[in-house]
Amino acid sequence: MGGDRGPRCIVPAALRSLSLYPSLHITLVGAADIVEPLLSDAVVASDRLSFRPAREQILADDPPASVLRGKRDASMRVALELVRDGQVDGCLSAGNTGALMVLARAVLGTLEGIRRPAIMAALPVSGRLCHVLDLGANVDCPAEQLVEFAIMGAAAAAELSGNPAPRVGLLNIGSETHKGNRQVRQAAALLQVCPAINYVGSVEGDGLFRGEADVVVCDGFVGNVLLKASEGVAGYLQAELRSAVADSWLLRWLAPLVLDVTRRTRERHDPARYNGASLLGLRGVVMKSHGSADEEAILAAIGHTFKACQARLPERIAGRVRECGAVL
Amino acid sequence: MGGDRGPRCIVPAALRSLSLYPSLHITLVGAADIVEPLLSDAVVASDRLSFRPAREQILADDPPASVLRGKRDASMRVALELVRDGQVDGCLSAGNTGALMVLARAVLGTLEGIRRPAIMAALPVSGRLCHVLDLGANVDCPAEQLVEFAIMGAAAAAELSGNPAPRVGLLNIGSETHKGNRQVRQAAALLQVCPAINYVGSVEGDGLFRGEADVVVCDGFVGNVLLKASEGVAGYLQAELRSAVADSWLLRWLAPLVLDVTRRTRERHDPARYNGASLLGLRGVVMKSHGSADEEAILAAIGHTFKACQARLPERIAGRVRECGAVL
């Protein structure tokens, strides 16, 4: 168990999630001296919660490449091995994203036809969710890899949202066919002839936030900038709003109420708060929680992981990849 | 004169700007039958305002490449020719951005050492301005071109902000040297050895909105996504806020006041409202106004154009390029 708050936040969230989801089973993986004192006798007796001790942990600044060689008993690796060995259906981690990506590829392997996994998150926009990928796992993506992202995103969004034909858009800087960089123009040509994808064309940065697509595809460099800039703007406007309220004599005495209203708006829509990014393309469910997640955010991420396991997301993605084989 | 509102918005803004800036001279270029009725006799007699009729105009959907061949008497081309011929110091247009870029390159040419011009805008963040380039003129940028953007941005920001050593950052997806795509990693290595640039390293999407740099450099694809996503988030949060206020029984009757406070906050910080993007790297001052600009926004863009002319921006950029010659 990693993340900024560690087991003291994750264990209570896990216990609450067992009450929320009656068919959920959880295996906690972490340091015995920290986790065991957090588990009551009643919890230990439960057949829906088990604990697997791990002596090591991956740190936030461990270089992703180095984790492959050392730390064989790191909690992150042990949890992924439980997925590989069929002892659990999925793994949720709040630890080092780069390390999780590298270890998940090494331990679980990628699905047939998928070059590299991608990171997908769902952003709440216009009363629905927009699934965006890749968010930073892959930079320098050729067109074929963007098409893989589209196929994986469409399969995942279909399972997670219940919409069998989610609208898939390519993030671009204009809607005309000559717009965009080379990879994006080539990917657009490939997606137009892919019958298993409901491709709706280019989506611009503002169109994403107007809900113009259910799945938006981009390379990991662009996606990461988009996600972080969105968080940055939201945080910045919140701070500006606070100072604007303080400057208004009439609103100043109402400030706690105004700020409560606006804080909830921001929290509901700040991408950082929508916790649980999927690592798609692996032979198993792997979910990444924000490192700074609190108990509520971990609870949300456990729910997303459970849903992905129930939907058998890797099998669904593998099936969609086979349907699209001719395009790739 | 182009843009969504045309001369009926631009002419009054031009007249107001003559009062604001006593040493400013303006030449209006456009259709005589539309512009002349907007000019009073007193205005016509002024030696600080002149009118140059042009029979054609570039339309919003004219393909940029086609404007090179046809429409020799388009107002956009005529205005750029006035700059080339030294009859005016700079050109401001609210028309088709792609056409303006293509025509400006053809009519004015680029500065020595500059491959292609870039579009730069100043975003208000954390009480100061952050100059971001490129915002869409160049996709598929090699490292050397990103370095050109850094040099041009540093020179322009120094002149426009008065800070002789603006902090220059490369937009990236992490601060470690191994982060980023190939072009960004190579550009970082080049900028580290460029003594004429105050290079501060990588800046992430959220760091830009925390004011971590005065100039942020990226390719035009990433910059355009960043700009439009920022506008999208700001617009979306404003709409959400409106609905949150409507849902609060106590705030509902204060709604006009709350929305006025928040609207002003948003307008002050919405990148779309900060009007006037510079086309840098040309042998002349060329400024692009947002097409949807209203009279206030045009007035702001005229002010920025005037400032760029007074600062002799193209000469300053040419000088900075010569200083950095060894790097490129």
Side-chain angles (χ1 to χ4, degrees), chain A residues 64 124-127 136 139-140 171-174 178 180-185 204-206 209 220-222 224-226 228-234 236-237 240-241 243-245 248 250-251 254 257-258 261-262 265-266 268-269, chain B residues 64 124-127 136 139-140 171-174 178 180-185 204-206 209 220-222 224-226 228-234 236-237 240-241 243-245 248 250-251 254 257-258 261-262 265-266 268-269:
Chain A
V125 290
S126 303
V139 295
D140 300 320
L171 190 62
N172 204 345
I173 62 170
H178 68 270
N181 56 27
R182 203 179 320 118
Q183 309 89 282
V184 166
R185 292 196 307 269
E204 297 189 62
D206 48 346
F209 289 95
F221 191 96
V222 175
N224 192 277
V225 166
L226 171 88
K228 289 188 178 155
S230 306
E231 294 175 4
V233 171
Y236 177 60
L237 288 180
E240 284 295 312
L241 194 61
S243 100
V245 167
S248 156
L250 186 51
L251 286 185
L254 279 173
L257 181 64
V258 175
V261 169
T262 59
T265 296
R266 185 197 150 204
R268 192 153 45 107
H269 298 284
Chain B
V125 291
S126 303
V139 296
D140 300 320
L171 190 61
N172 204 345
I173 62 170
H178 67 273
N181 56 29
R182 203 179 321 118
Q183 308 88 282
V184 167
R185 292 195 309 269
E204 297 189 62
D206 49 346
F209 289 96
F221 191 96
V222 174
N224 193 278
V225 167
L226 171 88
K228 290 188 177 156
S230 305
E231 292 175 4
V233 170
Y236 178 61
L237 288 179
E240 285 293 311
L241 193 62
S243 100
V245 168
S248 157
L250 187 52
L251 286 186
L254 280 173
L257 181 63
V258 175
V261 169
T262 59
T265 296
R266 185 194 149 207
R268 193 152 45 106
H269 298 283

Side-chain angles (χ1 to χ4, degrees), chain B residues 77-151:
Chain B
R77 178 188 278 271
V78 171
L80 290 164
E81 287 170 349
L82 293 178
V83 180
R84 180 197 62 195
D85 300 341
Q87 295 183 47
V88 300
D89 293 314
C91 161
L92 167 66
S93 169
N96 179 329
T97 308
L100 183 64
M101 179 60 78
V102 164
L103 276 178
R105 271 187 84 187
V107 172
L108 299 175
T110 50
L111 295 169
E112 198 177 321
I114 296 296
R115 259 151 276 220
R116 283 172 54 86
I119 301 177
M120 183 185 84
L123 311 187
V125 291
S126 303
R128 51 168 67 208
L129 293 177
C130 178
H131 297 80
V132 184
L133 74 165
D134 174 44
L135 293 176
N138 305 277
V139 296
D140 300 320
C141 297
E144 292 74 14
Q145 205 174 1
L146 295 175
V147 175
E148 283 178 19
F149 298 166
I151 295 167

